[in-house]
Amino acid sequence: MATIEECRSALDKLSDNMQHAEGNVREAAALDRSVSCHITDLDVTFVGRMRGGRIEVRDTVQGPPPDKAEIRLAMTGDDLVALVDGELNFAKVWGSGRVKLSAGVRDLLQLRKLL
């Protein structure tokens, strides 16, 4: 099972990848939205903001997200690490329900470029 530190490191790596993206992916990464990522097996949530092509994690809280972020993810720590490392296909694990993504319709249309 991935640790909180490994999950935080994976989010930092994802943020770095987004910042260096090009084309449509860079456009999608440029959203300015509140975000939360609930790590279900550790029962912790990383909360922050997606802005300027990066994910800025502002806090780590115990349990589910305290507020409803504009973009919400939920998954196990192992799945987060594997997704960021390219070992899992997002569409496949999202379709199977292993990863949950909630956002407004417009945001989902933009985010699909990232995925």
Side-chain angles (χ1 to χ4, degrees):
M1 178 166 50
T3 65
I4 292 174
E5 293 78 18
E6 290 169 325
C7 292
R8 175 61 194 257
S9 179
L11 287 172
D12 289 342
K13 182 178 177 180
L14 175 60
S15 181
D16 290 344
N17 291 346
M18 287 170 48
Q19 187 174 34
H20 295 103
E22 296 178 0
N24 287 341
V25 175
R26 183 164 186 85
E27 178 185 323
L31 291 171
D32 185 358
R33 302 286 187 271
S34 60
V35 296
S36 67
C37 182
H38 183 224
I39 307 302
T40 56
D41 56 334
L42 299 174
D43 198 26
V44 297
T45 301
F46 296 96
V47 293
R49 189 142 198 102
M50 180 190 299
R51 138 174 57 215
R54 294 193 61 84
I55 298 171
E56 301 168 357
V57 175
R58 295 183 177 163
D59 202 4
T60 305
V61 297
Q62 195 64 38
D67 299 310
K68 185 177 178 183
E70 293 167 294
I71 299 172
R72 300 170 303 282
L73 287 162
M75 68 193 80
T76 67
D78 288 341
D79 283 347
L80 172 63
V81 171
L83 281 167
V84 173
D85 286 344
E87 297 169 8
L88 286 178
N89 176 283
F90 183 86
K92 191 173 187 176
V93 293
W94 183 46
S96 73
R98 282 174 56 185
V99 172
K100 294 184 179 19
L101 170 64
S102 301
V105 174
R106 285 187 175 155
D107 289 342
L108 286 172
L109 290 173
Q110 280 293 97
L111 290 170
R112 70 186 172 127
K113 298 173 188 174
L114 287 172
L115 312 172

